[in-house]
Amino acid sequence: MDRLQQITLEECDAAYGQWLSYGGQAPRYGGRLSRHVKDGNKGIERLKFDNSAVAMNLWNFLLTEEERLREARSAGKKLIGTMKDLGTLPVMVYAHPGLVAFYPDGAWWIPCLMDENDRLLEVADQLGVDGTFCPVRAMLAAFVTGDHFPAPDMLICSVGATCDDFSAIAQRVEGLGNPILWWELPHRRALGHDETGIELPGGACAAKDQIDFVKDEMTRIIRVMADTVGASVTDDMIVHGISEANKVRACLAELRLTIFTADIAPLPALELLVAEMMAIHFCSDRDEVLVVLSGLLELVQQRVAAGVGYLGPDSVRVFWINPVADLRVMNMLEECGGRICGTEYLFTHALDQIPTHIPPREALARMALADPMAGAAQDRARRICADIKRFGSEAVIISRIPGASHCALEGVVIKETIRSIFDIPVVEIEVPPVSDTFQASLRTRLSALIEIAKGQRKRK
Amino acid sequence: MTSAPSTERSRKKVIYSSPYIPAEWIAAHGLEPNRMACLSYDRSLFVSAPVNVEAGVCPYMRGFINQASSDTRVQAIILTTTCDQMRRGADLISLYSHIPCFLMHVPASWETSGVNRLFLRELERLGEFLVSLGGVKPQPDELAATMRTYDEKRKKLMAQQGMVSGKDFAQKLACFAETGNVTDGREQYVPGEKCIPVGFIGSPLTGNHFDLFDVFSEYGASVAFNATETGERVLPARFDLRRLKDEPMHVLAESYFSSFPDIGERPNNRIFMWMKDRVRDHHVRGVVLIRYMWCDKWHAEAQRFRESLSVPLLDIEIDGEQIGERTRNRIQAFMEGLR
């Protein structure tokens, strides 16, 4: 697996066999990637993968999450389905050794991974939640079919400053007989004239009374969780949980920085997206995720030191905003001559270090309020612009989530803010869960963006 | 929070669209509350913005912020977080308009004392914003007096329910929301013997949507209740007059935050129980869900209403324009089915 290239699933299997024959040690979830196709993940046949063993570990770790959840249940652990907050509650849940957190929200990738063989979108249609909703509607169907994750022992969902699609779909989940503990995340408001804000991870500011309110919500969640699943999470446990989460975040921060600042892209966009997603709930194994990500970081550092990577130094440095429901589109970026140099996948608050100098529930409250979707789109845009400057991005892709209630308007604000500061091209695309019929137009838009960015490079 | 420029002090109207905003709180500050009826559905996303996006943008939000921001008599705009589109609408206003805009967080959850306190705190913040516009913070007795006045007006208004036609009552509600005035009823309305009673529920009705009452009437229906976001469902409960003197703000917050059931509250089981009661009490034979395109909260629950109500449901999606032929045909078919 020495020569750097993106390879097909079939080639992955061959490379994996070769790696084993040279004495490679596979983790317990390791194996040929094609076995996941037999489990139903037919969509991965259409992806292209980084050809390293550590990248295959990453994929194997991702695609075996359901098994881990079932093992955890068999071992007597309680499964907590955390919904929407993307990164905050799992820190608290994993602080207790008898609890495991996962996001049912992650079902939004199932139609892509299973190439719609799961028929989740069809089931969602039948429930009256059609294609005018965000792809997270697959989650509703997954609760109905019960095929994709074990039924959680408890569901906890943030509401308030969250998107309407998710709130509406989560309410339908509850309406189908799945009780949810709703907790309030207030819109991160602008400060009053005489008000002193508290800086949050990531740089935004929040009013003290809002932080106090969310801290009280954290306390309430701990209380209800103890009553519901019999697991009491103490502050000392959370302190430890924060420390462990921060290790994962530090590793990801180093990984992102190394990739974004490298002369040649050391890792494809797709694998980086998967790695970043690991931050929100550790893919159901907080210890192992660090092993997986550390391996990836080591690989990337080796590649940078050796001056090897994908494409070449000529590739256009692209900042990508919002995650895509169809992972193939991330492959398309390299195919069009672009590389990732900056990302904002709606969960930057799950990547920032959680403060350790303050009481732990307050630290989690600050983190929750740092959610880019909790505040004004201008706050989001400011952070994106700071990162564009930091990483020298030459072009921006705003990937709209089809049907999402926030994307159309947020996109306008973010795009206009970027254009007011930088002379770089910005393109908006919309990526459905299975983008077959849109592939040609998406490719055209990405190619045009890359072309324009290269043209501007010459003019500068 | 932004202070109004002194040159614009002559403007009086404080515009809002959410039923969670207490008109009496604005009036008690000496300003003019106006829950604006959106009449224009300009296709541009925002009149002064160099952008035009239609897909994914709620026509009501678009119409509201376009109309509010282009009205020269508007002193300030108040939006709430009850809907993601309105929340993002506030971002657009702050980016493209000089009109001060206040975004109030209305909690979606309602089962804890903490969110009640949060709503109260948001009302206090709104008060600070109104003062920044030139309003005067009312003394408790002044606020109580204003609340009594509005409470009496709402009592007078509600007394006309069933005495006038569904359309007339809806227009009286809209008039009260916009001006604070209650018009007297004229002759007593008696629906025809063969009229089939139906109930409305859903998004706010504005402008041309009042024609829906006529269309239903044309096909033999009478609208027995209007539980849309501009109907009687969202009127606050009558104030607890015994507590009004001592703690008017608490009474105000309680009445506005927790007295009416809403589709966006979590959990939202109250609205389903409330609807079952209305269907039973008004003997309606069909329910009409009227919702805007891209309104997820109403759209997602259409099927649940259909399954939980004892009568048929017609789900109408409107885009802010006239009532089209397709919608007319669906209404006709629905009414034929109810006969």
Side-chain angles (χ1 to χ4, degrees), chain A residues 18-40:
Chain A
Q18 189 187 24
W19 177 69
L20 286 180
S21 71
Y22 280 101
Q25 294 291 312
R28 59 189 160 80
Y29 48 83
R32 288 179 165 77
L33 288 186
S34 61
R35 71 198 160 105
H36 302 296
V37 175
K38 293 179 187 122
D39 293 339

mmCIF file with all atom_site columns, all heavy atoms in Angstrom, chain A residues 18-40:
data_model
loop_
_atom_site.group_PDB
_atom_site.id
_atom_site.type_symbol
_atom_site.label_atom_id
_atom_site.label_alt_id
_atom_site.label_comp_id
_atom_site.label_asym_id
_atom_site.label_entity_id
_atom_site.label_seq_id
_atom_site.pdbx_PDB_ins_code
_atom_site.Cartn_x
_atom_site.Cartn_y
_atom_site.Cartn_z
_atom_site.occupancy
_atom_site.B_iso_or_equiv
_atom_site.pdbx_formal_charge
_atom_site.auth_seq_id
_atom_site.auth_comp_id
_atom_site.auth_asym_id
_atom_site.auth_atom_id
_atom_site.pdbx_PDB_model_num
ATOM 1   N N   . GLN A 1 18 ? -2.881  -7.960  0.778  1.00 0.00 ? 18 GLN A N   1
ATOM 2   C CA  . GLN A 1 18 ? -1.440  -7.785  0.637  1.00 0.00 ? 18 GLN A CA  1
ATOM 3   C C   . GLN A 1 18 ? -0.826  -7.275  1.947  1.00 0.00 ? 18 GLN A C   1
ATOM 4   O O   . GLN A 1 18 ? 0.198   -7.740  2.409  1.00 0.00 ? 18 GLN A O   1
ATOM 5   C CB  . GLN A 1 18 ? -1.171  -6.802  -0.508 1.00 0.00 ? 18 GLN A CB  1
ATOM 6   C CG  . GLN A 1 18 ? 0.282   -6.723  -0.887 1.00 0.00 ? 18 GLN A CG  1
ATOM 7   C CD  . GLN A 1 18 ? 0.514   -5.612  -1.913 1.00 0.00 ? 18 GLN A CD  1
ATOM 8   O OE1 . GLN A 1 18 ? -0.262  -4.666  -2.008 1.00 0.00 ? 18 GLN A OE1 1
ATOM 9   N NE2 . GLN A 1 18 ? 1.569   -5.752  -2.679 1.00 0.00 ? 18 GLN A NE2 1
ATOM 10  N N   . TRP A 1 19 ? -1.520  -6.329  2.548  1.00 0.00 ? 19 TRP A N   1
ATOM 11  C CA  . TRP A 1 19 ? -1.037  -5.742  3.807  1.00 0.00 ? 19 TRP A CA  1
ATOM 12  C C   . TRP A 1 19 ? -0.953  -6.815  4.897  1.00 0.00 ? 19 TRP A C   1
ATOM 13  O O   . TRP A 1 19 ? 0.021   -6.893  5.643  1.00 0.00 ? 19 TRP A O   1
ATOM 14  C CB  . TRP A 1 19 ? -1.996  -4.614  4.208  1.00 0.00 ? 19 TRP A CB  1
ATOM 15  C CG  . TRP A 1 19 ? -1.687  -3.967  5.516  1.00 0.00 ? 19 TRP A CG  1
ATOM 16  C CD1 . TRP A 1 19 ? -0.606  -3.180  5.804  1.00 0.00 ? 19 TRP A CD1 1
ATOM 17  C CD2 . TRP A 1 19 ? -2.453  -4.060  6.722  1.00 0.00 ? 19 TRP A CD2 1
ATOM 18  N NE1 . TRP A 1 19 ? -0.658  -2.770  7.108  1.00 0.00 ? 19 TRP A NE1 1
ATOM 19  C CE2 . TRP A 1 19 ? -1.788  -3.297  7.698  1.00 0.00 ? 19 TRP A CE2 1
ATOM 20  C CE3 . TRP A 1 19 ? -3.642  -4.703  7.060  1.00 0.00 ? 19 TRP A CE3 1
ATOM 21  C CZ2 . TRP A 1 19 ? -2.270  -3.157  8.985  1.00 0.00 ? 19 TRP A CZ2 1
ATOM 22  C CZ3 . TRP A 1 19 ? -4.122  -4.558  8.359  1.00 0.00 ? 19 TRP A CZ3 1
ATOM 23  C CH2 . TRP A 1 19 ? -3.439  -3.798  9.303  1.00 0.00 ? 19 TRP A CH2 1
ATOM 24  N N   . LEU A 1 20 ? -1.979  -7.646  4.956  1.00 0.00 ? 20 LEU A N   1
ATOM 25  C CA  . LEU A 1 20 ? -1.962  -8.729  5.951  1.00 0.00 ? 20 LEU A CA  1
ATOM 26  C C   . LEU A 1 20 ? -0.805  -9.698  5.702  1.00 0.00 ? 20 LEU A C   1
ATOM 27  O O   . LEU A 1 20 ? -0.145  -10.164 6.627  1.00 0.00 ? 20 LEU A O   1
ATOM 28  C CB  . LEU A 1 20 ? -3.292  -9.502  5.927  1.00 0.00 ? 20 LEU A CB  1
ATOM 29  C CG  . LEU A 1 20 ? -4.516  -8.826  6.547  1.00 0.00 ? 20 LEU A CG  1
ATOM 30  C CD1 . LEU A 1 20 ? -5.729  -9.738  6.419  1.00 0.00 ? 20 LEU A CD1 1
ATOM 31  C CD2 . LEU A 1 20 ? -4.282  -8.462  8.010  1.00 0.00 ? 20 LEU A CD2 1
ATOM 32  N N   . SER A 1 21 ? -0.571  -9.967  4.398  1.00 0.00 ? 21 SER A N   1
ATOM 33  C CA  . SER A 1 21 ? 0.491   -10.920 4.063  1.00 0.00 ? 21 SER A CA  1
ATOM 34  C C   . SER A 1 21 ? 1.863   -10.386 4.441  1.00 0.00 ? 21 SER A C   1
ATOM 35  O O   . SER A 1 21 ? 2.805   -11.150 4.634  1.00 0.00 ? 21 SER A O   1
ATOM 36  C CB  . SER A 1 21 ? 0.440   -11.253 2.565  1.00 0.00 ? 21 SER A CB  1
ATOM 37  O OG  . SER A 1 21 ? 0.867   -10.133 1.825  1.00 0.00 ? 21 SER A OG  1
ATOM 38  N N   . TYR A 1 22 ? 1.962   -9.061  4.568  1.00 0.00 ? 22 TYR A N   1
ATOM 39  C CA  . TYR A 1 22 ? 3.238   -8.469  5.006  1.00 0.00 ? 22 TYR A CA  1
ATOM 40  C C   . TYR A 1 22 ? 3.283   -8.326  6.527  1.00 0.00 ? 22 TYR A C   1
ATOM 41  O O   . TYR A 1 22 ? 4.116   -7.618  7.072  1.00 0.00 ? 22 TYR A O   1
ATOM 42  C CB  . TYR A 1 22 ? 3.443   -7.100  4.352  1.00 0.00 ? 22 TYR A CB  1
ATOM 43  C CG  . TYR A 1 22 ? 3.954   -7.209  2.937  1.00 0.00 ? 22 TYR A CG  1
ATOM 44  C CD1 . TYR A 1 22 ? 3.108   -7.062  1.848  1.00 0.00 ? 22 TYR A CD1 1
ATOM 45  C CD2 . TYR A 1 22 ? 5.310   -7.466  2.689  1.00 0.00 ? 22 TYR A CD2 1
ATOM 46  C CE1 . TYR A 1 22 ? 3.568   -7.158  0.548  1.00 0.00 ? 22 TYR A CE1 1
ATOM 47  C CE2 . TYR A 1 22 ? 5.785   -7.563  1.387  1.00 0.00 ? 22 TYR A CE2 1
ATOM 48  C CZ  . TYR A 1 22 ? 4.918   -7.418  0.324  1.00 0.00 ? 22 TYR A CZ  1
ATOM 49  O OH  . TYR A 1 22 ? 5.388   -7.509  -0.957 1.00 0.00 ? 22 TYR A OH  1
ATOM 50  N N   . GLY A 1 23 ? 2.329   -8.954  7.202  1.00 0.00 ? 23 GLY A N   1
ATOM 51  C CA  . GLY A 1 23 ? 2.357   -8.949  8.668  1.00 0.00 ? 23 GLY A CA  1
ATOM 52  C C   . GLY A 1 23 ? 1.547   -7.855  9.319  1.00 0.00 ? 23 GLY A C   1
ATOM 53  O O   . GLY A 1 23 ? 1.697   -7.604  10.519 1.00 0.00 ? 23 GLY A O   1
ATOM 54  N N   . GLY A 1 24 ? 0.705   -7.178  8.565  1.00 0.00 ? 24 GLY A N   1
ATOM 55  C CA  . GLY A 1 24 ? -0.140  -6.126  9.138  1.00 0.00 ? 24 GLY A CA  1
ATOM 56  C C   . GLY A 1 24 ? -1.072  -6.683  10.205 1.00 0.00 ? 24 GLY A C   1
ATOM 57  O O   . GLY A 1 24 ? -1.604  -7.773  10.050 1.00 0.00 ? 24 GLY A O   1
ATOM 58  N N   . GLN A 1 25 ? -1.229  -5.950  11.285 1.00 0.00 ? 25 GLN A N   1
ATOM 59  C CA  . GLN A 1 25 ? -2.071  -6.391  12.391 1.00 0.00 ? 25 GLN A CA  1
ATOM 60  C C   . GLN A 1 25 ? -3.416  -5.644  12.322 1.00 0.00 ? 25 GLN A C   1
ATOM 61  O O   . GLN A 1 25 ? -3.476  -4.434  12.521 1.00 0.00 ? 25 GLN A O   1
ATOM 62  C CB  . GLN A 1 25 ? -1.391  -6.086  13.735 1.00 0.00 ? 25 GLN A CB  1
ATOM 63  C CG  . GLN A 1 25 ? -0.117  -6.892  13.975 1.00 0.00 ? 25 GLN A CG  1
ATOM 64  C CD  . GLN A 1 25 ? -0.423  -8.373  14.193 1.00 0.00 ? 25 GLN A CD  1
ATOM 65  O OE1 . GLN A 1 25 ? -1.297  -8.738  14.963 1.00 0.00 ? 25 GLN A OE1 1
ATOM 66  N NE2 . GLN A 1 25 ? 0.302   -9.243  13.484 1.00 0.00 ? 25 GLN A NE2 1
ATOM 67  N N   . ALA A 1 26 ? -4.468  -6.385  12.079 1.00 0.00 ? 26 ALA A N   1
ATOM 68  C CA  . ALA A 1 26 ? -5.783  -5.751  11.964 1.00 0.00 ? 26 ALA A CA  1
ATOM 69  C C   . ALA A 1 26 ? -6.421  -5.609  13.336 1.00 0.00 ? 26 ALA A C   1
ATOM 70  O O   . ALA A 1 26 ? -6.257  -6.487  14.187 1.00 0.00 ? 26 ALA A O   1
ATOM 71  C CB  . ALA A 1 26 ? -6.679  -6.598  11.069 1.00 0.00 ? 26 ALA A CB  1
ATOM 72  N N   . PRO A 1 27 ? -7.134  -4.520  13.567 1.00 0.00 ? 27 PRO A N   1
ATOM 73  C CA  . PRO A 1 27 ? -7.880  -4.407  14.826 1.00 0.00 ? 27 PRO A CA  1
ATOM 74  C C   . PRO A 1 27 ? -9.052  -5.393  14.820 1.00 0.00 ? 27 PRO A C   1
ATOM 75  O O   . PRO A 1 27 ? -9.372  -5.985  13.783 1.00 0.00 ? 27 PRO A O   1
ATOM 76  C CB  . PRO A 1 27 ? -8.366  -2.954  14.805 1.00 0.00 ? 27 PRO A CB  1
ATOM 77  C CG  . PRO A 1 27 ? -8.394  -2.576  13.368 1.00 0.00 ? 27 PRO A CG  1
ATOM 78  C CD  . PRO A 1 27 ? -7.334  -3.369  12.690 1.00 0.00 ? 27 PRO A CD  1
ATOM 79  N N   . ARG A 1 28 ? -9.742  -5.519  15.947 1.00 0.00 ? 28 ARG A N   1
ATOM 80  C CA  . ARG A 1 28 ? -10.807 -6.541  16.046 1.00 0.00 ? 28 ARG A CA  1
ATOM 81  C C   . ARG A 1 28 ? -11.956 -6.254  15.078 1.00 0.00 ? 28 ARG A C   1
ATOM 82  O O   . ARG A 1 28 ? -12.683 -7.159  14.699 1.00 0.00 ? 28 ARG A O   1
ATOM 83  C CB  . ARG A 1 28 ? -11.322 -6.651  17.478 1.00 0.00 ? 28 ARG A CB  1
ATOM 84  C CG  . ARG A 1 28 ? -11.890 -5.371  18.035 1.00 0.00 ? 28 ARG A CG  1
ATOM 85  C CD  . ARG A 1 28 ? -12.183 -5.506  19.544 1.00 0.00 ? 28 ARG A CD  1
ATOM 86  N NE  . ARG A 1 28 ? -12.275 -4.213  20.176 1.00 0.00 ? 28 ARG A NE  1
ATOM 87  C CZ  . ARG A 1 28 ? -13.354 -3.445  20.133 1.00 0.00 ? 28 ARG A CZ  1
ATOM 88  N NH1 . ARG A 1 28 ? -14.425 -3.857  19.501 1.00 0.00 ? 28 ARG A NH1 1
ATOM 89  N NH2 . ARG A 1 28 ? -13.372 -2.264  20.706 1.00 0.00 ? 28 ARG A NH2 1
ATOM 90  N N   . TYR A 1 29 ? -12.120 -5.010  14.699 1.00 0.00 ? 29 TYR A N   1
ATOM 91  C CA  . TYR A 1 29 ? -13.193 -4.673  13.746 1.00 0.00 ? 29 TYR A CA  1
ATOM 92  C C   . TYR A 1 29 ? -12.665 -4.646  12.307 1.00 0.00 ? 29 TYR A C   1
ATOM 93  O O   . TYR A 1 29 ? -13.354 -4.248  11.385 1.00 0.00 ? 29 TYR A O   1
ATOM 94  C CB  . TYR A 1 29 ? -13.819 -3.308  14.098 1.00 0.00 ? 29 TYR A CB  1
ATOM 95  C CG  . TYR A 1 29 ? -12.782 -2.238  14.356 1.00 0.00 ? 29 TYR A CG  1
ATOM 96  C CD1 . TYR A 1 29 ? -12.191 -1.527  13.323 1.00 0.00 ? 29 TYR A CD1 1
ATOM 97  C CD2 . TYR A 1 29 ? -12.354 -1.990  15.658 1.00 0.00 ? 29 TYR A CD2 1
ATOM 98  C CE1 . TYR A 1 29 ? -11.211 -0.588  13.562 1.00 0.00 ? 29 TYR A CE1 1
ATOM 99  C CE2 . TYR A 1 29 ? -11.375 -1.042  15.915 1.00 0.00 ? 29 TYR A CE2 1
ATOM 100 C CZ  . TYR A 1 29 ? -10.809 -0.342  14.862 1.00 0.00 ? 29 TYR A CZ  1
ATOM 101 O OH  . TYR A 1 29 ? -9.834  0.576   15.105 1.00 0.00 ? 29 TYR A OH  1
ATOM 102 N N   . GLY A 1 30 ? -11.412 -5.058  12.141 1.00 0.00 ? 30 GLY A N   1
ATOM 103 C CA  . GLY A 1 30 ? -10.793 -5.002  10.818 1.00 0.00 ? 30 GLY A CA  1
ATOM 104 C C   . GLY A 1 30 ? -11.324 -6.073  9.872  1.00 0.00 ? 30 GLY A C   1
ATOM 105 O O   . GLY A 1 30 ? -12.140 -6.917  10.244 1.00 0.00 ? 30 GLY A O   1
ATOM 106 N N   . GLY A 1 31 ? -10.862 -6.014  8.652  1.00 0.00 ? 31 GLY A N   1
ATOM 107 C CA  . GLY A 1 31 ? -11.298 -6.981  7.644  1.00 0.00 ? 31 GLY A CA  1
ATOM 108 C C   . GLY A 1 31 ? -11.414 -6.314  6.294  1.00 0.00 ? 31 GLY A C   1
ATOM 109 O O   . GLY A 1 31 ? -11.193 -5.099  6.166  1.00 0.00 ? 31 GLY A O   1
ATOM 110 N N   . ARG A 1 32 ? -11.742 -7.130  5.289  1.00 0.00 ? 32 ARG A N   1
ATOM 111 C CA  . ARG A 1 32 ? -11.910 -6.565  3.950  1.00 0.00 ? 32 ARG A CA  1
ATOM 112 C C   . ARG A 1 32 ? -13.159 -5.682  3.928  1.00 0.00 ? 32 ARG A C   1
ATOM 113 O O   . ARG A 1 32 ? -14.193 -6.067  4.490  1.00 0.00 ? 32 ARG A O   1
ATOM 114 C CB  . ARG A 1 32 ? -12.032 -7.684  2.930  1.00 0.00 ? 32 ARG A CB  1
ATOM 115 C CG  . ARG A 1 32 ? -10.714 -8.385  2.697  1.00 0.00 ? 32 ARG A CG  1
ATOM 116 C CD  . ARG A 1 32 ? -10.853 -9.519  1.699  1.00 0.00 ? 32 ARG A CD  1
ATOM 117 N NE  . ARG A 1 32 ? -9.555  -9.948  1.211  1.00 0.00 ? 32 ARG A NE  1
ATOM 118 C CZ  . ARG A 1 32 ? -8.698  -10.712 1.904  1.00 0.00 ? 32 ARG A CZ  1
ATOM 119 N NH1 . ARG A 1 32 ? -9.040  -11.144 3.108  1.00 0.00 ? 32 ARG A NH1 1
ATOM 120 N NH2 . ARG A 1 32 ? -7.535  -11.039 1.408  1.00 0.00 ? 32 ARG A NH2 1
ATOM 121 N N   . LEU A 1 33 ? -13.044 -4.546  3.265  1.00 0.00 ? 33 LEU A N   1
ATOM 122 C CA  . LEU A 1 33 ? -14.180 -3.604  3.260  1.00 0.00 ? 33 LEU A CA  1
ATOM 123 C C   . LEU A 1 33 ? -15.405 -4.195  2.549  1.00 0.00 ? 33 LEU A C   1
ATOM 124 O O   . LEU A 1 33 ? -16.538 -3.835  2.862  1.00 0.00 ? 33 LEU A O   1
ATOM 125 C CB  . LEU A 1 33 ? -13.789 -2.286  2.590  1.00 0.00 ? 33 LEU A CB  1
ATOM 126 C CG  . LEU A 1 33 ? -12.840 -1.363  3.374  1.00 0.00 ? 33 LEU A CG  1
ATOM 127 C CD1 . LEU A 1 33 ? -12.667 -0.032  2.630  1.00 0.00 ? 33 LEU A CD1 1
ATOM 128 C CD2 . LEU A 1 33 ? -13.359 -1.090  4.777  1.00 0.00 ? 33 LEU A CD2 1
ATOM 129 N N   . SER A 1 34 ? -15.159 -5.104  1.621  1.00 0.00 ? 34 SER A N   1
ATOM 130 C CA  . SER A 1 34 ? -16.282 -5.622  0.845  1.00 0.00 ? 34 SER A CA  1
ATOM 131 C C   . SER A 1 34 ? -17.287 -6.394  1.704  1.00 0.00 ? 34 SER A C   1
ATOM 132 O O   . SER A 1 34 ? -18.438 -6.553  1.334  1.00 0.00 ? 34 SER A O   1
ATOM 133 C CB  . SER A 1 34 ? -15.777 -6.524  -0.280 1.00 0.00 ? 34 SER A CB  1
ATOM 134 O OG  . SER A 1 34 ? -15.086 -7.616  0.272  1.00 0.00 ? 34 SER A OG  1
ATOM 135 N N   . ARG A 1 35 ? -16.859 -6.835  2.895  1.00 0.00 ? 35 ARG A N   1
ATOM 136 C CA  . ARG A 1 35 ? -17.809 -7.563  3.755  1.00 0.00 ? 35 ARG A CA  1
ATOM 137 C C   . ARG A 1 35 ? -18.977 -6.657  4.150  1.00 0.00 ? 35 ARG A C   1
ATOM 138 O O   . ARG A 1 35 ? -20.072 -7.133  4.431  1.00 0.00 ? 35 ARG A O   1
ATOM 139 C CB  . ARG A 1 35 ? -17.111 -8.133  4.991  1.00 0.00 ? 35 ARG A CB  1
ATOM 140 C CG  . ARG A 1 35 ? -16.701 -7.084  6.009  1.00 0.00 ? 35 ARG A CG  1
ATOM 141 C CD  . ARG A 1 35 ? -15.662 -7.609  6.982  1.00 0.00 ? 35 ARG A CD  1
ATOM 142 N NE  . ARG A 1 35 ? -14.970 -6.517  7.609  1.00 0.00 ? 35 ARG A NE  1
ATOM 143 C CZ  . ARG A 1 35 ? -15.172 -6.127  8.865  1.00 0.00 ? 35 ARG A CZ  1
ATOM 144 N NH1 . ARG A 1 35 ? -16.037 -6.742  9.619  1.00 0.00 ? 35 ARG A NH1 1
ATOM 145 N NH2 . ARG A 1 35 ? -14.502 -5.121  9.373  1.00 0.00 ? 35 ARG A NH2 1
ATOM 146 N N   . HIS A 1 36 ? -18.733 -5.339  4.160  1.00 0.00 ? 36 HIS A N   1
ATOM 147 C CA  . HIS A 1 36 ? -19.814 -4.427  4.529  1.00 0.00 ? 36 HIS A CA  1
ATOM 148 C C   . HIS A 1 36 ? -20.872 -4.337  3.427  1.00 0.00 ? 36 HIS A C   1
ATOM 149 O O   . HIS A 1 36 ? -22.008 -3.956  3.702  1.00 0.00 ? 36 HIS A O   1
ATOM 150 C CB  . HIS A 1 36 ? -19.253 -3.035  4.844  1.00 0.00 ? 36 HIS A CB  1
ATOM 151 C CG  . HIS A 1 36 ? -18.238 -3.056  5.948  1.00 0.00 ? 36 HIS A CG  1
ATOM 152 N ND1 . HIS A 1 36 ? -18.553 -3.417  7.234  1.00 0.00 ? 36 HIS A ND1 1
ATOM 153 C CD2 . HIS A 1 36 ? -16.899 -2.796  5.951  1.00 0.00 ? 36 HIS A CD2 1
ATOM 154 C CE1 . HIS A 1 36 ? -17.460 -3.360  7.995  1.00 0.00 ? 36 HIS A CE1 1
ATOM 155 N NE2 . HIS A 1 36 ? -16.451 -2.997  7.227  1.00 0.00 ? 36 HIS A NE2 1
ATOM 156 N N   . VAL A 1 37 ? -20.460 -4.658  2.221  1.00 0.00 ? 37 VAL A N   1
ATOM 157 C CA  . VAL A 1 37 ? -21.445 -4.692  1.123  1.00 0.00 ? 37 VAL A CA  1
ATOM 158 C C   . VAL A 1 37 ? -22.429 -5.830  1.387  1.00 0.00 ? 37 VAL A C   1
ATOM 159 O O   . VAL A 1 37 ? -23.637 -5.674  1.229  1.00 0.00 ? 37 VAL A O   1
ATOM 160 C CB  . VAL A 1 37 ? -20.741 -4.887  -0.238 1.00 0.00 ? 37 VAL A CB  1
ATOM 161 C CG1 . VAL A 1 37 ? -21.772 -5.038  -1.359 1.00 0.00 ? 37 VAL A CG1 1
ATOM 162 C CG2 . VAL A 1 37 ? -19.812 -3.710  -0.525 1.00 0.00 ? 37 VAL A CG2 1
ATOM 163 N N   . LYS A 1 38 ? -21.882 -6.940  1.852  1.00 0.00 ? 38 LYS A N   1
ATOM 164 C CA  . LYS A 1 38 ? -22.750 -8.091  2.169  1.00 0.00 ? 38 LYS A CA  1
ATOM 165 C C   . LYS A 1 38 ? -23.719 -7.745  3.297  1.00 0.00 ? 38 LYS A C   1
ATOM 166 O O   . LYS A 1 38 ? -24.805 -8.295  3.395  1.00 0.00 ? 38 LYS A O   1
ATOM 167 C CB  . LYS A 1 38 ? -21.905 -9.314  2.534  1.00 0.00 ? 38 LYS A CB  1
ATOM 168 C CG  . LYS A 1 38 ? -21.104 -9.829  1.346  1.00 0.00 ? 38 LYS A CG  1
ATOM 169 C CD  . LYS A 1 38 ? -20.251 -11.028 1.726  1.00 0.00 ? 38 LYS A CD  1
ATOM 170 C CE  . LYS A 1 38 ? -19.347 -11.391 0.546  1.00 0.00 ? 38 LYS A CE  1
ATOM 171 N NZ  . LYS A 1 38 ? -17.938 -11.359 0.900  1.00 0.00 ? 38 LYS A NZ  1
ATOM 172 N N   . ASP A 1 39 ? -23.285 -6.806  4.162  1.00 0.00 ? 39 ASP A N   1
ATOM 173 C CA  . ASP A 1 39 ? -24.181 -6.373  5.251  1.00 0.00 ? 39 ASP A CA  1
ATOM 174 C C   . ASP A 1 39 ? -25.210 -5.346  4.766  1.00 0.00 ? 39 ASP A C   1
ATOM 175 O O   . ASP A 1 39 ? -25.991 -4.829  5.570  1.00 0.00 ? 39 ASP A O   1
ATOM 176 C CB  . ASP A 1 39 ? -23.366 -5.738  6.394  1.00 0.00 ? 39 ASP A CB  1
ATOM 177 C CG  . ASP A 1 39 ? -22.482 -6.776  7.076  1.00 0.00 ? 39 ASP A CG  1
ATOM 178 O OD1 . ASP A 1 39 ? -22.770 -7.975  6.955  1.00 0.00 ? 39 ASP A OD1 1
ATOM 179 O OD2 . ASP A 1 39 ? -21.499 -6.370  7.724  1.00 0.00 ? 39 ASP A OD2 1
ATOM 180 N N   . GLY A 1 40 ? -25.141 -5.021  3.509  1.00 0.00 ? 40 GLY A N   1
ATOM 181 C CA  . GLY A 1 40 ? -26.136 -4.092  2.969  1.00 0.00 ? 40 GLY A CA  1
ATOM 182 C C   . GLY A 1 40 ? -25.585 -2.757  2.516  1.00 0.00 ? 40 GLY A C   1
ATOM 183 O O   . GLY A 1 40 ? -26.282 -1.973  1.876  1.00 0.00 ? 40 GLY A O   1
#
